[in-house]
Amino acid sequence: MQKIIIKHLTGTKANQTESFELPFDAITFGRNTNCQVNYDPEKEDLVSRNHLKITPQGEDTFLLTDLNSSNGTFVNDKQVTEPVTLNAGDTVQLGKGGPKFIFELDPPPAAKKTREAGSFSDSKSTRENERQAQSGETRTKTAEPKKQGIGHETLERRIHETETTTRRKMINISVGIFTVIALVVGYFVYQGQVDKQEMLNTVGSSLTAVKSDQDKQLAEMKASAPMSAADISRLYGSSTVLIETSWKLIHVQTGKQIGHKKDCHRNSKNACITDPKEPLPVYIYIADNDSIEPFLDLESDTPIGGSSIGSGFVVQENGFILTNRHVATGWHTSYTKLPLPGIIRRCADNGCKDDKQLADKEHTLVKKSLSKWVPIDSKMLGGKLLQGKNAEGRNDYLDITFPRTNLRVPARLARISDTADVALIKVDVPQALHFVQMDATTPVSAGEQITVMGYPEISPNLFVKVDSQDPFNRKGEVRIIPEPTITTGNIGKVLNSSANITSDSISVYISEMGDAYQLTVNATGAGNSGGPVFNDKGRVIGIFTSMKQEQGTIITFAVPIAHGLDIMGIQKAIE
């Protein structure tokens, strides 16, 4: 009876050996107690609950499949991205730096093949001797040529050729089959050294070999075929979440909410020259950088803050979610609630004085300047320069809702990027979450097909009334039942923050958008921010971030997923 032998090299099972007799359906490895090879759930933190499985495929043939593990599976130090054939003597590692084992077979396949080869040789030798005895002559037997495999480069080229090229290739393969038959038959007829049965056997072997290569190529071509938007939605729709948030700007020392001051326009004697019953928003001139920002104070009844909805997607089974920085932390993005007309005020050590009331023709210019104001970057408070960390943003709530559910789950901010519109948030849920697969290594080119998922505000929502079952609070609530919107398009342009170009006079160019993908996905809008952008292989390559509209033309943008992976690098410290 053949056995699989698992020899543990490292980890809590080091120097242990486990064996499994065939037949069996599969052997699973992980921290789950239901796994046949079970790892210590406390010490083996790089091993997922259900990490990998080994499945018999036939005699001496076994298939290793990674079960969407958090830290990956490595066979002979190469990460597994799809099911692979496992050979006796292969080394398997569960997560980079995780436990290792050697996969063995008992009896080894080499010994078995030797016995079979010996039996075949003896039988064939007997038949040959009998034939020589009957004919009285010795025939020289020509060695059968060794079958050649398909080269790696040829296979890679075939995988990525278009459907038209594929059909042409299959025609060529068919022609090749008949060519092989003709050559083999002609060769042996010419030599006159084999009987009819041997000739037929040889032809059959050649046909089988060519057919096997053909089937393998077809399977690989099918595996590399683009995924449809519907397929991507079925796979990862449950991983795309709705995010609802409300925030405010807080004065650190007092804990009070910071607001935008309103006042009448005052003359040099500090007397109102406009109706004090209709105060105007006050703006302050910053001489250091020749800019204008709102006049902030702690007594205003116009607080700085806001609420919004956005999208995000699960990137780890333990509840980590990627989204945009402007979705999770509104105080880190440009503020759009600054009204005009208003008053410009200049301040110095001896106090503040009104400069002028903005004329209508100045509104556009000032509004353009104010559109770049970011609350957390405020320079002044109460007419005085801010020193140190005097202001900070806080979320009143940061909730996520999974598709087709009505339960809001509180989330917490894990980390935000210092350089890109990316944030990492965390939810604590009892079950493992289904997460997306990301690809930051495959180059992205203009024209590639993409699929975007998210929750644009313009899309109609489904609502449900939830009745309270709490005897102490019988008030019901109407909630959104989110269903992600699927939008398709292409990469319109790849924008790099800076890159070398081939020119004698120019060495570097800079993108005003930073690192970004310009998209042709225009049937979306606010609320889709933070949603995943998939390539045609079902891998997330970007995070939908913004749109730009001018003269009726809309273009949209995404942040490359590499920036998301950057901030995920410290999640162990966060936990």
Side-chain angles (χ1 to χ4, degrees):
M1 182 69 68
Q2 191 173 33
K3 297 180 182 179
I4 282 182
I5 307 297
I6 304 298
K7 296 181 179 179
H8 296 281
L9 300 178
T10 63
T12 56
K13 289 179 172 284
N15 300 320
Q16 297 181 27
T17 299
E18 298 180 71
S19 63
F20 302 88
E21 283 191 359
L22 288 165
F24 54 78
D25 292 333
I27 301 174
T28 56
F29 295 67
R31 291 186 290 119
N32 194 319
T33 54
N34 294 328
C35 292
Q36 284 84 358
V37 179
N38 178 252
Y39 290 88
D40 190 319
E42 299 296 329
K43 298 179 180 179
E44 300 287 13
D45 57 346
L46 293 177
V47 179
S48 294
R49 280 187 276 271
N50 294 288
H51 199 106
L52 66 90
K53 68 177 179 179
I54 297 175
T55 311
Q57 298 294 300
E59 187 175 7
D60 296 336
T61 304
F62 298 86
L63 201 66
L64 181 145
T65 304
D66 182 87
L67 301 176
N68 285 328
S69 63
S70 299
N71 297 296
T73 300
F74 299 80
V75 176
N76 299 328
D77 296 326
K78 293 183 179 179
Q79 185 166 6
V80 172
T81 58
E82 58 185 15
V84 297
T85 300
L86 199 60
N87 299 311
D90 283 346
T91 300
V92 180
Q93 186 175 32
L94 287 73
K96 204 68 174 177
K100 286 184 179 181
F101 67 82
I102 293 179
F103 175 81
E104 296 285 5
L105 295 175
D106 183 21
K112 187 174 181 180
K113 289 180 180 178
T114 300
R115 291 196 299 270
E116 292 173 350
S119 300
F120 176 80
S121 176
D122 292 344
S123 174
K124 189 170 183 180
S125 176
T126 301
R127 291 198 306 271
E128 186 69 20
N129 290 337
E130 290 175 354
R131 187 159 52 247
Q132 290 178 7
Q134 292 172 0
S135 62
E137 61 182 9
T138 302
R139 299 182 181 183
T140 303
K141 188 171 181 64
T142 304
E144 183 178 348
K146 184 178 180 181
K147 184 179 70 175
Q148 298 296 319
I150 298 177
H152 177 72
E153 294 182 359
T154 302
L155 185 57
E156 287 293 322
R157 175 174 56 79
R158 288 177 179 174
I159 290 175
H160 296 288
E161 285 183 339
T162 62
E163 184 178 355
T164 302
T165 306
T166 301
R167 287 198 295 266
R168 187 183 301 118
K169 188 179 299 176
M170 299 317 300
I171 293 173
N172 292 338
I173 291 174
S174 299
V175 172
I177 292 174
F178 292 108
T179 302
V180 169
I181 295 173
L183 289 174
V184 172
V185 172
Y187 176 82
F188 286 114
V189 169
Y190 175 78
Q191 292 292 329
Q193 293 177 341
V194 293
D195 58 23
K196 181 178 180 180
Q197 186 59 46
E198 286 185 340
M199 181 180 69
L200 291 175
N201 290 341
T202 305
V203 171
S205 298
S206 299
L207 281 171
T208 301
V210 175
K211 181 65 166 58
S212 176
D213 287 343
Q214 180 182 358
D215 290 343
K216 182 179 179 181
Q217 292 167 37
L218 285 172
E220 291 176 338
M221 289 174 187
K222 183 177 180 181
S224 67
M227 290 180 65
S228 68
D231 291 336
I232 293 172
S233 175
R234 280 191 291 270
L235 275 175
Y236 299 117
S238 63
S239 304
T240 306
V241 300
L242 173 70
I243 300 176
E244 298 173 279
T245 180
S246 176
W247 65 275
K248 56 190 175 186
L249 196 64
I250 298 295
H251 185 237
V252 175
Q253 281 75 17
T254 63
K256 291 184 177 181
Q257 186 169 1
I258 297 173
H260 185 188
K261 184 179 181 63
K262 286 186 176 182
D263 198 0
C264 63
H265 187 200
R266 299 177 181 273
N267 59 21
S268 58
K269 296 181 180 181
N270 205 31
C272 288
I273 57 177
T274 59
D275 188 352
K277 295 181 180 180
E278 297 182 3
L280 297 169
V282 181
Y283 296 93
I284 188 168
Y285 175 74
I286 310 295
D288 290 347
N289 56 3
D290 191 29
S291 64
I292 297 171
E293 68 176 39
F295 191 107
L296 303 179
D297 69 6
L298 302 179
E299 308 301 330
S300 172
D301 58 358
T302 309
I304 298 294
S307 60
S308 64
I309 70 168
S311 306
F313 51 98
V314 181
V315 293
Q316 290 277 303
E317 66 176 6
N318 54 358
F320 279 99
I321 294 170
L322 277 177
T323 185
N324 286 144
R325 181 173 64 182
H326 77 261
V327 171
T329 58
W331 57 91
H332 276 280
T333 193
S334 54
Y335 195 70
T336 58
K337 300 178 181 179
L338 299 175
L340 288 172
I343 303 163
I344 291 184
R345 190 164 286 178
R346 292 175 181 264
C347 296
D349 292 339
N350 59 349
C352 298
K353 293 182 179 180
D354 286 2
D355 183 21
K356 61 180 178 179
Q357 184 175 344
L358 295 172
D360 290 342
K361 64 180 181 180
E362 296 174 299
H363 291 173
T364 301
L365 182 63
V366 172
K367 193 170 184 177
K368 186 175 182 180
S369 174
L370 291 174
S371 67
K372 300 178 181 179
W373 178 68
V374 176
I376 199 64
D377 295 335
S378 299
K379 304 289 190 302
M380 308 282 283
L381 177 64
K384 297 181 180 180
L385 283 172
L386 285 168
Q387 302 292 331
K389 187 176 181 180
N390 286 279
E392 69 176 11
R394 293 180 189 172
N395 279 317
D396 290 323
Y397 60 82
L398 176 62
D399 294 339
I400 69 105
T401 308
F402 288 93
R404 297 172 287 281
T405 69
N406 62 14
L407 180 64
R408 291 190 181 98
V409 182
R412 55 187 170 87
L413 185 64
R415 192 191 177 196
I416 60 173
S417 172
D418 296 328
T419 58
D421 189 15
V422 179
L424 186 68
I425 63 177
K426 177 77 162 60
V427 292
D428 296 315
V429 290
Q431 73 274 26
L433 299 178
H434 182 60
F435 56 93
V436 302
Q437 301 295 318
M438 295 173 283
D439 183 358
T441 58
T442 303
V444 175
S445 303
E448 288 187 24
Q449 174 186 319
I450 56 170
T451 299
V452 177
M453 284 201 282
Y455 301 91
E457 290 182 2
I458 196 172
S459 177
N461 290 314
L462 174 65
F463 295 91
V464 63
K465 185 177 184 298
V466 180
D467 294 326
S468 173
Q469 303 300 315
D470 184 351
F472 302 103
N473 183 356
R474 302 298 298 175
K475 185 179 179 180
E477 186 178 359
V478 176
R479 295 180 182 173
I480 295 175
I481 302 295
E483 182 73 31
T485 295
I486 315 301
T487 316
T488 59
N490 300 90
I491 299 290
K493 184 188 294 185
V494 177
L495 303 168
N496 296 319
S497 58
S498 64
N500 294 326
I501 57 176
T502 55
S503 171
D504 294 335
S505 58
I506 302 174
S507 59
V508 172
Y509 70 88
I510 298 175
S511 162
E512 64 178 352
M513 286 294 297
D515 285 335
Y517 300 139
Q518 180 181 315
L519 314 178
T520 64
V521 178
N522 301 330
T524 185
N528 217 128
S529 294
V533 179
F534 295 88
N535 63 12
D536 63 1
K537 299 297 184 293
R539 299 292 188 265
V540 175
I541 59 171
I543 307 171
F544 190 92
T545 182
S546 63
M547 61 184 295
K548 185 176 182 180
Q549 183 172 4
E550 289 185 7
Q551 299 179 348
T553 300
I554 300 174
I555 56 176
T556 51
F557 300 92
V559 180
I561 195 61
H563 292 286
L565 293 173
D566 283 345
I567 65 171
M568 288 175 62
I570 66 160
Q571 67 184 45
K572 290 294 181 183
I574 295 169
E575 291 184 292

